[in-house]
Amino acid sequence: MRKKIVAGNWKMNTDIESGVSLAKNIVSNLANELCDCEKIGVAIAPPFTQLYAVAQAVDIEKICLTAQNCAAEAKGAYTGEVSAQMLKAIGCRAVIIGHSERRAYYNETNEILFKKVKLVLENGMKPIFCCGEILAERNENKHFQVIKNQLDEVIFKLSYEDFNNIIIAYEPVWAIGTGLNATQEQAQEIHAYIRSLIAEKYGNEMAENRSILYGGSCNAANAKDLFANKDVDGGLIGGASLKAEDFLKIINSF
Ligand code: 13P
């Protein structure tokens, strides 16, 4: 059975004090059955500079410490980069890869994303791989093809064993930070489509076991409806993950 997951992507928000306090507040209010980090029940992705402080302040056996990005190279002369190995060393278990903000503002191509995914896996962590269309693509009815290409060119190049460690997040770009979430039907349609592509490529068992998260203006008010969909296994939450109370409500929406 696949895992239900709620992951908070803090993006470039919080400072050490507020980040540690947010993490502590979330962890201390998590129900015991959600503290199953091995399978990632609840994940938080603070900015790089706060990961270590958060790892020291909370029990990271209870929450999946996640990074928002990592370098596309293993080590060496790459000024300003943070390697997958460094993230693993401070207790991270997952890394968000291919967020649309990275694709759009930092020109991360599918080729770069593939290298990152491989490094995350080689370091024993799980990639949370993001895919999703922009509004113009949806309006032109190209969203299915866009998502298929994003999967084909990155994670569908992985072996069966590697793919077994992938978490997918469908994040329609038009829904991110806009307050305009995908409807229940739109989310279910794409999630079922992604699952069908996985089944085609890796078989039914793999498709049944992969968690596919929804992201894009998911909040305490709409999470219940979105998570009620058969193929929506949780959420990747931006803005609403910055308030412990809202994030906890989302976690309790299954
Ligand atoms: P919002 O929840 O703020 O729309 O952001 C979603 C997101 O980008 C999570 O990665």
Side-chain angles (χ1 to χ4, degrees), residues 88 104 123 159 181-182 197 211:
K88 173 73 176 177
N123 282 281
S159 67
N181 59 288
L197 293 175
S211 299

Side-chain angles (χ1 to χ4, degrees), residues 9 11 99 101 171 175-177 215-218 236-239:
N9 175 8
K11 306 194 181 181
H99 192 284
E101 288 151 15
E171 297 207 308
I176 295 176
S217 297
C218 182
L236 180 55
I237 319 297

Side-chain angles (χ1 to χ4, degrees), residues 134-152:
I134 62 171
L135 187 59
E137 291 162 342
R138 178 164 278 267
N139 288 340
E140 290 165 26
N141 214 23
K142 288 186 184 150
H143 44 303
F144 293 102
Q145 194 53 48
V146 166
I147 287 156
K148 184 171 186 302
N149 287 350
Q150 290 170 341
L151 300 175
D152 276 343

Side-chain angles (χ1 to χ4, degrees), residues 208-244:
E208 279 311 308
N209 286 324
R210 294 279 52 76
S211 299
I212 307 176
L213 317 183
Y214 169 78
S217 297
C218 182
N219 57 38
N222 59 27
K224 214 177 183 69
D225 284 347
L226 287 161
F227 297 176
N229 283 311
K230 155 167 145 341
D231 288 294
V232 177
D233 306 309
L236 180 55
I237 319 297
S241 71
L242 293 170
K243 268 197 191 157

Side-chain angles (χ1 to χ4, degrees), residues 29-62:
N29 285 294
L30 272 185
N32 271 344
E33 68 269 23
L34 287 168
C35 298
D36 182 1
C37 194
E38 261 312 300
K39 297 185 191 154
I40 312 189
V42 178
I44 48 171
F48 282 141
T49 56
Q50 291 159 49
L51 286 168
Y52 185 73
V54 167
Q56 300 307 301
V58 302
D59 181 355
I60 52 169
E61 293 303 315
K62 292 188 171 172

Side-chain angles (χ1 to χ4, degrees), residues 28-180:
S28 62
N29 285 294
L30 272 185
N32 271 344
E33 68 269 23
L34 287 168
C35 298
D36 182 1
C37 194
E38 261 312 300
K39 297 185 191 154
I40 312 189
V42 178
I44 48 171
F48 282 141
T49 56
Q50 291 159 49
L51 286 168
Y52 185 73
V54 167
Q56 300 307 301
V58 302
D59 181 355
I60 52 169
E61 293 303 315
K62 292 188 171 172
I63 196 156
C64 173
L65 191 64
T66 299
Q68 298 175 18
N69 181 32
C70 71
E73 305 297 334
K75 64 183 289 196
Y78 298 99
T79 302
E81 291 291 285
V82 175
S83 73
Q85 191 180 19
M86 293 169 181
L87 296 170
K88 173 73 176 177
I90 57 165
C92 288
R93 296 184 194 233
V95 183
I96 298 171
I97 298 290
H99 192 284
S100 61
E101 288 151 15
R102 304 272 344 148
R103 294 178 193 257
Y105 309 147
Y106 303 97
N107 302 320
E108 293 198 358
T109 60
N110 288 332
E111 205 177 5
I112 293 170
L113 299 179
F114 182 69
K115 287 166 80 175
K116 294 188 176 196
V117 165
K118 286 292 286 179
L119 285 164
V120 172
L121 290 166
E122 278 165 29
N123 282 281
M125 298 180 288
K126 291 185 192 294
I128 301 179
F129 179 74
C130 304
C131 59
E133 79 285 358
I134 62 171
L135 187 59
E137 291 162 342
R138 178 164 278 267
N139 288 340
E140 290 165 26
N141 214 23
K142 288 186 184 150
H143 44 303
F144 293 102
Q145 194 53 48
V146 166
I147 287 156
K148 184 171 186 302
N149 287 350
Q150 290 170 341
L151 300 175
D152 276 343
E153 290 180 20
V154 187
I155 53 175
F156 282 1
K157 285 164 67 179
L158 295 170
S159 67
Y160 189 93
E161 290 68 33
D162 276 349
F163 198 81
N164 220 8
N165 286 308
I166 291 286
I167 296 160
I168 295 172
Y170 167 59
E171 297 207 308
V173 180
W174 48 269
I176 295 176
T178 59
L180 181 74

